Amino acid sequence: MDRIDQKILDLLQGDATLPIAEVAEQVGLSTAPCWRRIKKLEDDGVIQRRVALVDRRKVNVPMTLFVSVRTTRHALEWVDDFRRMIADIPEIVEVWRLTGDVDYLLRIVVPDIDAYDAVYKRMIDRVELADVSSAIAMEELKYTTAVPTGYIAKTRG
């Protein structure tokens, strides 16, 4: 990847609906070579998929909670059950396995605390958890799906 690929990625991360002709113009290519670069980025898995980002407030899930989970079980069977549980609960939108005192960090979006309580009950009904600690986000200061592209190794001219 080179600086042109980086520019393409930056543009598409900002708006994946940009016409190829516009992307090509902004990166200094004609349409066909630009399309080939985008296709290669997709084929190589750099661009994983293109999605619509939904305003969670407009679809009535304005509350974000960060839920720290600790477990005393680390058997593969438990992990498989945990993975199935998080896949089955759409309110759980992100899950990270961590080092340190907390085993997993979940980001959950819901309409209100009652909805979170229902999610919590579905979770503990499905898997054994040693400790669950929830924090309600008060204000979103920054949210982006774009990753920095400044670290891309320059391998082409």
Side-chain angles (χ1 to χ4, degrees), residues 13-126:
Q13 285 187 103
D15 183 357
T17 66
L18 285 174
I20 290 182
E22 188 172 332
V23 175
E25 181 180 325
Q26 290 192 44
V27 301
L29 293 175
S30 61
T31 303
C34 184
W35 178 85
R36 283 193 295 273
R37 282 179 178 254
I38 293 170
K39 179 75 172 116
K40 182 166 178 17
L41 290 167
E42 291 172 338
D43 292 345
D44 291 348
V46 176
I47 297 174
Q48 295 179 342
R49 63 185 184 262
R50 299 182 195 201
V51 299
L53 299 177
V54 176
D55 183 328
R56 61 186 169 74
R57 289 169 188 85
K58 291 184 179 177
V59 295
N60 196 31
V61 286
M63 180 178 280
T64 297
L65 295 104
F66 294 93
V67 179
S68 301
V69 172
R70 287 189 313 130
T71 181
T72 56
R73 304 215 27 227
H74 295 279
L76 290 178
E77 180 183 341
W78 183 92
V79 172
D80 289 342
D81 290 343
F82 184 75
R83 286 179 186 273
R84 280 190 292 277
M85 180 270 296
I86 61 177
D88 290 345
I89 300 176
E91 293 88 348
I92 301 173
V93 294
E94 286 184 67
V95 179
W96 298 86
R97 186 167 59 94
L98 307 174
T99 62
D101 294 335
V102 173
D103 296 307
Y104 299 93
L105 180 65
L106 290 63
R107 184 168 70 91
I108 297 175
V109 294
V110 290
D112 52 40
I113 200 68
D114 292 333
Y116 170 63
D117 189 47
V119 168
Y120 170 80
K121 288 174 181 172
R122 289 187 348 235
M123 290 170 48
I124 63 172
D125 184 51
R126 297 274 304 269

Side-chain angles (χ1 to χ4, degrees), residues 3-4 7 21 36 50 71 77 91 111-112 115 133 135-136 140 142-144 155:
R3 291 188 63 77
I4 293 174
K7 288 179 186 177
R36 283 193 295 273
R50 299 182 195 201
T71 181
E77 180 183 341
E91 293 88 348
D112 52 40
S133 177
I136 298 172
E140 183 179 285
K142 179 180 180 178
Y143 174 80
T144 182
T155 58

